[in-house]
């Protein structure tokens, strides 16, 4: 009876925490201003900032990539040490600062500072994705990954629909959208404050017995400690604890990246993150240019609806993946190649079209395919990691992606680089995904050939994650 009560208590604890975290994810994305940010910065209306297109695309937007790179380097290192909640709080501070600067800032410098605060909050999002995995059994990883990703996407979708309705009907101007978004991130901050102060694993006795996890760094020889060490200063004990924790994380880091299957998902994560961040940052600029050619005004653009539809499709895909059983170690490369090819075609069509609606459809396809595949990658990586190193691994993968994005930004977008026009930039991004297609297609064919085509087809519908029974053995 007592054991059953403890089990139910543990289940209730992680279910409540998951609900709070999902609520936080919803409200932090419930910001209808983001779909009209470019219009807010460069339109010549009474409630806009009146910056030029060159200032927005060449002086303001590139700052985000550079600040994100610096911030994610620190967040990756300290997220696991700080046990997640302080980093979630940092994301809240960054979100509030971003909206405050958007409302009251008037100069290019203030907008660049806005991009710095937004870069910090984006980097701190690592804690949002890492937090839940220390509370949940491995057998639930696919489900909770789908839940937290879907809640974030649903918040984004709701913001898109609401923002579009408010702008199209004239109920809100672009400045009032900023105030609404500020209120939403303040609500998210309240949910963040309700999260547990410290994360301790609950019900983690069903860890899968994989070599990657069972091999751990050697424990220090306790016989070498004397009674005098017990009375050592707090500073010395803290230093010893930090050194031991650092050694453990370094061991986890080496073991993780020595697994070819996990390395595959990490490489794709970094490369796809680079492309996604760049496209997400400049999609509105492309739409603005196409709309300008069509003579379409702001009230007749449908950025909000498009973002909402894209995120709803991505949410549905993320949730459906929790029920999908595929042998990803065998079919992962082929899936990545197929998705990359679809993305490449969608971006190429976007760069060539003169129809705003065609560009919208291509963006929806891109967002949906990316979100589905990143959900798979998160679940596969989370399943294989030590629960004390989620932030480190996720952060390092993100850091590599942002580092690549900074090089890409400097090369094609920044005024110190080629400073290509927006449509030519999207041709470059299409070529980028085509190269990914070739790389993973060759890797996938090699993998299936080495396993055997008939055997691969037979194992297609067998999930790579162990069942509850397998995990308990």
């Amino acid at each position: 009876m007592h054991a059953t009560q403890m089990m139910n208590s543990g289940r209730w604890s992680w279910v409540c925490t998951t609900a709070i975290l999902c609520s936080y994810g919803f409200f932090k994305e419930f910001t209808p201003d983001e779909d009209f940010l470019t219009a807010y910065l460069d339109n010549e209306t009474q409630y806009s900032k009146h910056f030029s297109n060159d200032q927005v695309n060449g002086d303001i937007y590139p700052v985000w990539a550079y600040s994100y790179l610096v911030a994610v380097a620190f967040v990756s290192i300290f997220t696991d040490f700080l046990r997640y909640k302080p980093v979630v709080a940092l994301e809240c501070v960054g979100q509030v600062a971003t909206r405050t600067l958007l409302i009251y800032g008037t100069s290019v410098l203030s907008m660049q500072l806005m991009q710095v605060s937004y870069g910090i909050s984006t980097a701190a999002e690592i804690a949002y994705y890492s937090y839940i995995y220390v509370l949940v059994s491995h057998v639930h990883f696919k489900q909770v990954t789908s839940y937290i990703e879907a809640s974030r996407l649903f918040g984004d979708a709701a913001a898109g629909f609401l923002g579009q309705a408010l702008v199209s009907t004239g109920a809100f101007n672009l400045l009032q959208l900023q105030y609404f978004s500020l209120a939403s991130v303040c609500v998210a901050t309240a949910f963040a404050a309700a999260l547990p102060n410290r994360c301790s694993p609950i019900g983690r006795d069903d860890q899968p017995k994989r070599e990657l996890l069972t091999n751990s760094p050697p424990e220090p020889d306790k016989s070498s400690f004397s009674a005098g060490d017990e009375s050592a200063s707090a500073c010395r004990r803290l230093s010893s604890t930090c050194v031991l924790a650092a050694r453990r994380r370094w061991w986890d880091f080496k073991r993780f990246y020595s697994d070819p299957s996990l390395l595959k998902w990490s490489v794709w994560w970094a490369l796809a993150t680079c492309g996604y961040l760049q496209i997400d940052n400049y999609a509105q600029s492309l739409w603005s240019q196409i709309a300008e050619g069509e003579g379409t005004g702001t009230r007749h653009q449908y950025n909000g609806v498009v973002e909402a539809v894209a995120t709803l499709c991505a949410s549905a895909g993320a949730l459906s993946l929790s029920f999908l059983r595929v042998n990803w170690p065998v079919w992962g490369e082929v899936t990545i190649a197929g998705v990359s090819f679809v993305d490449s075609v969608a971006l190429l069509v976007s760069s060539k079209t003169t129809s705003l609606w065609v560009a919208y459809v291509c963006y929806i396809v891109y967002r949906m395919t990316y979100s589905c595949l990143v959900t798979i990658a998160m679940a596969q990586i989370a399943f294989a990691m030590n629960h004390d190193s989620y932030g480190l691994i996720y952060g390092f993968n993100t850091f590599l992606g942002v580092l690549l994005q900074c090089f890409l930004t400097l090369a094609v977008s920044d005024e110190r680089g080629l400073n290509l026009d927006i449509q030519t930039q999207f041709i470059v991004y299409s070529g980028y995904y085509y190269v990914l297609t070739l790389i993973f297609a060759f890797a996938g064919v090699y993998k299936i050939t080495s396993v055997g085509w008939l055997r691969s087809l037979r194992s297609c519908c067998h999930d790579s994650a162990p069942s509850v029974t397998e995990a308990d053995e």
Side-chain angles (χ1 to χ4, degrees):
M1 179 68 70
H2 181 66
T4 303
Q5 291 177 347
M6 290 192 64
M7 183 180 298
N8 292 335
S9 176
R11 171 180 288 273
W12 178 248
S13 296
W14 73 259
V15 167
C16 288
T17 303
T18 301
I20 295 172
L21 197 62
C22 287
S23 300
Y24 168 73
F26 177 88
F27 281 102
K28 80 183 182 71
E29 296 296 330
F30 191 51
T31 50
D33 68 306
E34 292 194 5
D35 299 331
F36 301 93
L37 179 59
T38 300
Y40 177 68
L41 293 176
D42 67 9
N43 272 11
E44 296 297 328
T45 62
Q46 178 182 357
Y47 300 103
S48 300
K49 294 298 183 181
H50 310 296
F51 297 112
S52 68
N53 286 329
D54 291 339
Q55 287 176 316
V56 172
N57 294 322
D59 296 329
I60 297 175
Y61 280 168
V63 174
W64 172 78
Y66 306 137
S67 61
Y68 187 16
L69 176 66
V70 175
V72 79
F74 287 96
V75 170
S76 301
I77 296 172
F78 294 108
T79 295
D80 295 310
F81 285 107
L82 296 176
R83 310 308 291 166
Y84 309 103
K85 185 174 180 179
V87 183
V88 173
L90 178 64
E91 183 182 7
C92 295
V93 171
Q95 291 278 10
V96 172
T98 297
R99 266 67 201 184
T100 302
L101 287 167
L102 278 170
I103 293 171
Y104 298 107
T106 57
S107 64
V108 172
L109 178 60
S110 64
M111 293 300 100
Q112 289 174 331
L113 291 175
M114 176 272 295
Q115 288 287 282
V116 170
S117 63
Y118 187 61
I120 293 173
S121 67
T122 309
E125 196 174 39
I126 291 171
Y128 169 72
Y129 287 111
S130 305
Y131 192 100
I132 195 62
Y133 294 123
V134 301
L135 297 173
V136 181
S137 166
H138 278 81
V139 296
H140 299 301
F141 273 6
K142 284 200 304 182
Q143 285 81 2
V144 296
T145 302
S146 297
Y147 296 156
I148 63 174
E149 180 68 6
S151 65
R152 186 187 68 82
L153 293 173
F154 277 129
D156 198 2
F161 281 123
L162 179 62
Q164 187 67 63
L166 294 175
V167 171
S168 297
T169 60
F172 273 34
N173 58 50
L174 297 179
L175 178 60
Q176 289 171 325
L177 283 183
Q178 301 298 330
Y179 284 107
F180 187 99
S181 298
L182 177 61
S184 181
V185 296
C186 288
V187 173
T189 302
F191 278 106
L195 290 169
N197 289 326
R198 288 184 61 85
C199 289
S200 57
I202 298 174
R204 296 302 296 273
D205 57 334
D206 56 350
Q207 295 266 15
K209 298 181 179 181
R210 297 183 50 175
E211 181 182 0
L212 181 64
L213 297 174
T214 54
N215 286 314
S216 57
E219 295 287 345
D221 185 7
K222 295 184 179 181
S223 62
S224 62
F225 291 95
S226 63
D229 293 320
E230 296 292 336
S231 59
S233 66
C235 181
R236 184 176 177 181
R237 291 197 301 269
L238 178 62
S239 176
S240 177
T241 302
C242 290
V243 169
L244 180 59
R247 287 177 179 174
R248 285 184 174 276
R249 281 158 180 78
W250 174 242
W251 184 270
D252 291 338
F253 183 87
K254 291 192 298 182
R255 298 295 301 175
F256 179 86
Y257 287 104
S258 65
D259 188 311
S261 178
L262 300 174
L263 182 62
K264 163 190 64 185
W265 290 108
S266 294
V267 169
W268 176 84
W269 186 327
L271 295 173
T273 296
C274 167
Y276 173 76
L277 294 176
Q278 194 74 359
I279 291 159
D280 188 57
N281 209 26
Y282 289 95
Q284 290 187 37
S285 297
L286 176 67
W287 299 340
S288 295
Q289 182 167 316
I290 296 174
E292 185 178 341
E294 290 184 338
T296 305
T298 301
R299 289 186 62 177
H300 298 286
Q301 295 179 28
Y302 297 94
N303 297 5
V305 169
V306 170
E307 290 283 1
V309 171
T311 50
L312 281 177
C313 292
S315 300
L319 286 174
S320 64
L321 287 172
S322 64
F323 305 101
L324 185 65
R325 296 181 64 84
V326 175
N327 191 344
W328 295 115
V330 175
W331 291 94
E333 289 91 342
V334 173
T335 304
I336 292 172
V339 169
S340 298
F341 180 74
V342 172
D343 292 342
S344 176
V345 173
L347 294 173
L348 182 61
V349 173
S350 296
S351 69
K352 296 295 185 181
T353 186
T354 56
S355 170
L356 188 58
W357 283 104
V358 172
Y360 282 158
V361 171
C362 291
Y363 178 77
I364 291 171
V365 171
Y366 173 79
R367 277 286 305 276
M368 182 176 63
T369 54
Y370 171 83
S371 296
C372 288
L373 204 52
V374 80
T375 302
I376 297 170
M378 288 171 58
Q380 292 296 306
I381 291 173
F383 170 75
M385 282 193 296
N386 186 309
H387 68 269
D388 284 331
S389 301
Y390 293 133
L392 175 64
I393 301 300
Y394 285 163
F396 184 75
N397 290 342
T398 304
F399 173 78
L400 291 180
V402 178
L403 180 62
L404 292 173
Q405 189 215 358
C406 286
F407 287 125
L408 190 59
T409 299
L410 185 62
V412 303
S413 307
D414 201 296
E415 61 180 3
R416 289 163 291 187
L418 297 176
N419 196 21
L420 301 175
D421 65 88
I422 192 65
Q423 288 180 309
T424 305
Q425 286 185 39
F426 271 72
I427 295 176
V428 174
Y429 306 149
S430 173
Y432 175 85
Y433 274 94
Y434 185 70
V435 172
L436 292 187
T437 301
L438 295 178
I439 292 173
F440 283 99
F442 282 120
V445 171
Y446 175 80
K447 170 66 71 66
I448 295 176
T449 302
S450 63
V451 173
W453 286 87
L454 183 59
R455 181 180 176 187
S456 298
L457 290 172
R458 288 175 176 173
S459 66
C460 179
C461 295
H462 292 282
D463 198 342
S464 58
S467 64
V468 179
T469 304
E470 291 170 334
D472 289 336
E473 288 178 356

